[in-house]
Amino acid sequence: MLHDDLHSLLDELARVSALPLERGETLPARAYTCERFHQLEQERVFRADWLCVGHVSQVARPGDYLRTDVLGEPLVVTRDEHGDLHALSRVCRHRFMDVLPPETTPEQGSLKRLTCPYHTWTYRLNGEYAGQLAGAPLMNKVDFDRAACRLPRYRLEVWNGLLMVNANPTAPPLGPQLERLDAVLAPYRLADLVVAYTATWENVPANWKVAFENGSENYHHMGTHANSLERIVPGKDTVIEECDARGYSMFTPFAADLPTAPDDDGVPPVGTLIPGLGERQLSGLRVAGLFPNLALALVPDSVTFLRWVPTGPTTHDALVTVLVPAAAKEQPGYEAYVAASRRQLELIQDEDLVAVRGVQRGLASDPAPSGGRFSHLECPLWQFQRYLADRLVGAPVAVA
């Protein structure tokens, strides 16, 4: 039987998600602290929807692999000799060893087969046989069905160059749901970009939704980023372009007095431009988001995609990947550009961490706060509530 506290929390989610934006309220505080609500999100959101795990440039050639984890599930994305991509479990079928342990193997690389380092069982990576057992030493004296031994496969789609996986075999395909966002992202040609660098902040002491919501509105620029982003992309100038069942997009023009001269280290404020951008794309910042936990920040010389992955009811990991045009890596001063970009990212993240930690402390106060109101600039958060309600409210669940 559904726990009374969770039941009342879902009732409140249903209530606030039905409000129009003009009267919209924030989620109840318990949605950011409740263990049972967290468990339900794991089941109905993260184990049932499409999640981004990387970019196609990280598995560009046959034999390339990318090691990743999805809520504790060890996975590997591989590209076979025909150019097809596969998402496989990394858990060996013998004694359940991670076949690509992070202690001894790089996050990405190239190989012909997956070989478990524990007892050297090997698995194929080619075509329809991807994940099939290829070799199991000294197993010929026991009753063992080699043909039935295979690494579990996960559904995988490539959306605008992003690797999207899903553990739910009955979930609808992702691509047909995203025509609006496809049109918004098309000029940036994400699939043609390459990874400049990645960054991770582990076990941030805040619920993942606090961070996702923070990254899905520019209203906070004038406070949190008053001396950084606000000077470049003033939050008050943001225009919300789209908010629907799957995500959102918004555009903020660059400030009129944006610096054009190199900084004190001689690094220009803009790197190699993404080819083919139009006047609008060149004139500002576009932020697009895909529920449940993916946001993209798109500017003329780069695209940054961010993911907030829950590690508990009140903790999360923040994963950041920065993409640039392939030609950028051949330009003089590229390393200096990357170093400057990293510094800027770390500055923005440090400012955001003050905000998300502070919000989480407020949510844990007693009595818990309630009834916060939305600005029109927080339309993506209002739409996010509807996404959550669609997945969490309604069907009966059994929660211990």
Side-chain angles (χ1 to χ4, degrees):
M1 185 174 183
L2 195 61
H3 190 276
D4 288 343
D5 183 57
L6 179 58
H7 191 214
S8 64
L9 180 50
L10 293 176
D11 285 345
E12 182 66 2
L13 171 59
R15 183 189 72 81
V16 299
S17 68
L19 296 171
L21 176 60
E22 294 74 16
R23 293 193 288 112
E25 299 177 13
T26 56
L27 291 171
R30 288 174 298 153
Y32 302 89
T33 60
C34 175
E35 171 67 35
R36 294 177 183 276
F37 193 79
H38 167 70
Q39 291 173 5
L40 194 61
E41 288 178 334
Q42 302 289 291
E43 174 193 339
R44 291 191 174 179
V45 175
F46 286 93
R47 299 190 189 281
D49 210 341
W50 294 93
L51 304 176
C52 177
V53 298
H55 186 260
V56 288
S57 66
Q58 295 173 292
V59 280
R61 297 164 298 186
D64 283 357
Y65 75 86
L66 173 66
R67 186 183 66 235
T68 185
D69 292 88
V70 179
L71 298 182
E73 295 292 334
L75 304 183
V76 59
V77 177
T78 65
R79 189 180 291 275
D80 66 24
E81 69 269 30
H82 303 299
D84 295 326
L85 292 165
H86 308 275
L88 303 169
S89 169
R90 298 203 318 265
V91 180
C92 181
R93 297 295 90 187
H94 172 223
R95 294 262 300 283
F96 320 119
M97 172 67 178
D98 184 345
V99 299
L100 291 170
E103 294 87 350
T104 57
T105 56
E107 181 180 24
Q108 61 188 86
S110 185
L111 42 74
K112 292 184 177 180
R113 289 185 176 181
L114 287 172
T115 300
C116 178
Y118 199 14
H119 299 93
T120 67
W121 284 33
T122 59
Y123 300 89
R124 300 180 182 179
L125 296 178
N126 51 317
E128 63 180 296
Y129 300 106
Q132 181 72 44
L133 182 70
L138 305 178
M139 291 294 292
N140 57 322
K141 294 185 179 181
V142 295
D143 185 6
F144 173 53
D145 185 0
R146 292 171 179 256
C149 186
R150 189 168 195 164
L151 298 175
R153 300 176 70 169
Y154 289 73
R155 294 173 66 190
L156 172 68
E157 285 191 28
V158 178
W159 175 67
N160 284 283
L162 301 180
L163 303 170
M164 311 294 295
V165 299
N166 196 324
N168 179 7
T170 64
L174 180 64
Q177 303 179 58
L178 301 177
E179 292 182 359
R180 289 184 178 183
L181 280 178
D182 283 341
V184 169
L185 299 180
Y188 296 90
R189 303 181 184 181
L190 270 69
D192 297 333
L193 304 181
V194 296
V195 173
Y197 63 91
T198 62
T200 302
W201 284 263
E202 296 183 337
N203 285 315
V204 177
N207 181 272
W208 69 278
K209 295 187 296 298
V210 174
F212 177 71
E213 290 170 341
N214 178 77
S216 298
E217 50 93 347
N218 292 344
Y219 186 26
H220 72 289
H221 282 196
M222 63 187 71
T224 298
H225 304 301
N227 295 312
S228 54
L229 283 178
E230 179 69 8
R231 295 183 174 183
I232 302 170
V233 278
K236 65 180 178 58
D237 297 333
T238 298
V239 176
I240 307 298
E241 297 175 316
E242 296 285 354
C243 280
D244 61 23
R246 286 299 323 191
Y248 64 85
S249 66
M250 55 190 175
F251 181 82
T252 309
F254 291 134
D257 57 350
L258 193 67
T260 57
D263 63 17
D264 293 341
D265 295 323
V267 181
V270 179
T272 303
L273 296 179
I274 297 171
L277 294 182
E279 182 177 350
R280 182 163 177 81
Q281 291 84 32
L282 292 169
S283 66
L285 162 72
R286 175 169 277 111
V287 175
L290 178 65
F291 304 138
N293 69 333
L294 172 67
L296 302 99
L298 306 105
V299 290
D301 63 352
S302 64
V303 173
T304 300
F305 64 92
L306 307 94
R307 295 159 284 160
W308 296 275
V309 180
T311 55
T314 58
T315 58
H316 72 272
D317 290 345
L319 313 176
V320 182
T321 303
V322 178
L323 307 173
V324 296
K329 293 192 173 185
E330 309 303 322
Q331 300 301 314
Y334 173 71
E335 296 301 328
Y337 165 80
V338 168
S341 174
R342 280 186 180 272
R343 289 194 297 271
Q344 179 74 354
L345 172 65
E346 290 169 359
L347 169 64
I348 300 304
Q349 178 69 354
D350 285 346
E351 293 171 346
D352 279 328
L353 287 175
V354 173
V356 300
R357 289 194 295 249
V359 169
Q360 190 68 40
R361 287 195 296 271
L363 290 164
S365 61
D366 186 15
S370 63
R373 295 298 301 275
F374 286 137
S375 160
H376 70 282
L377 293 177
E378 294 168 300
C379 181
L381 281 59
W382 173 79
Q383 191 60 48
F384 180 47
Q385 292 180 349
R386 281 145 183 75
Y387 168 85
L388 289 176
D390 180 65
R391 282 150 179 79
L392 301 181
V393 177
V397 294
V399 179

